[in-house]
Amino acid sequence: MRSDRIKEGVNAAPQRSLLYALGLTEEEINKPLIGIVSSYNEIVPGHMNIDKIVEAVKQGVALAGGVPIVFPAIAVCDGIAMGHEGMKYSLVTRELIADSTEAMATAHPFDGLVMIPNCDKNVPGLLMAAARLNIPSIFVSGGPMLAGTLGGKKVSYSTVSEAVSRYKVGELSDEQLCECEGKACPTCGSCSGMFTANSMNCLTEVLGMGLPGNGTIPAVYSERLRLAKHAGMQIMKLVEQDIRPRDIMTKDAFLNALTIDMALGCSTNSMLHLPAIAHECEITLDLDLANSISDKVPTLCHLAPAGDHFIEQLNEAGGIPAVMNEINKLGLLHTDLMTCTGKTIAENIAGHEIKDTEIIRTVENPYSKTGGIAVLKGNLAPDGCVVKRSAVAPEMLCHKGPARVFDCEEDALAAIYGGDIHPGDVVIIRYEGPKGGPGMREMLNPTSAIMGSGLGSSVALITDGRFSGATRGAAIGHVSPEAAVCGNIALVEEGDMVEIDIPANRINVLVSDEELDARRAKWQPRAPRITKGYLARYAKSVTSGSTGAVLE
């Protein structure tokens, strides 16, 4: 066992003395030691129930003959961090989580790990750590929030974001806004739509690193506790059989994840996280694959924010196994791959039929014949940018309009709220990329302001930052190269015509190469916004959004 280095022989006597200091008995020391990586905290609604998940995992580990030992991982709530300096610290925590977990699991050599994440960055951060450490590991998330109910309609966090703009333009009263904010997020759990956290928890299941149900069983269901106990028991089988993350997260597993990503209409942030996780597996995941896969994969789900369905309904309709089983009818999945169940994907999804064909459409009757995400390229984004195609109004799939240029989120938001953005405009928000932000902030407030102001069917937003999974509309992010390194987005001027053609995967500023070269010759780098601390170090090491914003 891996833990033998701190348990066996005369030289391990000092380590054994410290294990005794923990209260462990000799009998426990002689068993496999299982690290439980808990992201529990009291500030993130998606994590406030994880203490109970941890206890259930510990029971499962003990039932199966292991010794559970808990250590922490941090997590930022993107919703609480949104719209202020705190959002600069969201994406960057992914690397902190991976690095700190690597440090803890190497300094204290566990025989296996159970990862318990739930929100936007600690799911991919812990997947990155699992790949890097490559010791037997399994994931069980805290689970999704139930949707709220307002006026007989299901609502979520994104409803409140858009309600702010509706309030500002006089569509909602004080009382209506207060009622909305009080009812939109009724329980603990990751926000109730197919936002980033739930996207990544579902894709963890697709990758084979979480048991069936990991992505969809609601946080408040007792079924989630039973799932956690089974995860605790299953890690002991993975340790016994020496099944490791890189045995599971193969190139074909990532192709499966991209395929189901398209079928579900996941958050565009998955286009940052999947390449970063693959990078830790020493696999290059070229985002050009996204379009070729999307061309073949129908969109089977229309989950919030793109539609009016929520994760709890996806769970009742059959969950991820039903989606995978349906997509597999087209022969688009690699089903012979090993998973954390100890069985293949084919075995895991066999017999899982759709229980509600409105929540999960059949391949014969999809919401769209193509997938939910598209990667666009052109002179505005030579290395690519990303849009959640399934959340774009049909009339905005092709759009041409004048650029309205802003060098930070706050200036753009002020213009939208001030009535300075008009139908047909293309809002450009730059210097918000991984280096330029630094930290690649999410632009949920500007996109919600556009939608809430009634401009969602006539205004596009383009940024080298990124978007919350709660964003909908013609929101195009991850523009690469970013403005901070003199990507062409830095050279766009007020009034330049911008042409977007999502079906053709093209995005261009209608300016000649000669003019762009002349502007580039005059361009001057911006002084760093942050000059010390973690963000300054991050800005020096982070790579492009097109490669997953990993650290060099």
Side-chain angles (χ1 to χ4, degrees), residues 33-37 67-71 110-115 235:
L33 303 183
I34 305 299
I36 313 295
V37 189
V67 178
I69 301 174
V70 179
F71 66 89
F110 296 103
D111 298 300
L113 295 170
V114 181
M115 309 288 199
I235 188 60

Side-chain angles (χ1 to χ4, degrees), residues 72-192:
I74 64 168
V76 164
C77 177
D78 279 22
I80 294 174
M82 194 71 67
H84 60 90
E85 188 179 23
M87 180 46 69
K88 294 179 184 289
Y89 286 86
S90 173
L91 179 61
V92 306
T93 63
R94 188 185 70 181
E95 319 309 314
L96 286 175
I97 291 160
D99 292 349
S100 60
T101 303
E102 173 197 357
M104 286 294 290
T106 304
H108 316 97
F110 296 103
D111 298 300
L113 295 170
V114 181
M115 309 288 199
I116 311 179
N118 210 32
C119 284
D120 298 46
K121 308 310 166 305
N122 71 327
V123 181
L126 290 178
L127 282 165
M128 290 165 68
R132 192 183 300 173
L133 290 161
N134 202 33
I135 62 176
S137 302
I138 194 170
F139 281 64
V140 57
S141 75
M145 183 185 290
L146 295 178
T149 302
L150 182 64
K153 182 180 179 181
K154 287 184 181 294
V155 293
S156 68
Y157 170 79
S158 63
T159 310
V160 189
S161 296
E162 294 183 16
V164 172
S165 289
R166 295 179 61 204
Y167 173 83
K168 287 180 179 289
V169 299
E171 288 187 15
L172 294 182
S173 66
D174 289 339
E175 292 77 15
Q176 289 172 315
L177 180 61
C178 287
E179 183 181 18
C180 182
E181 69 184 61
K183 292 185 175 180
C185 300
T187 73
C188 62
S190 48
C191 292
S192 53

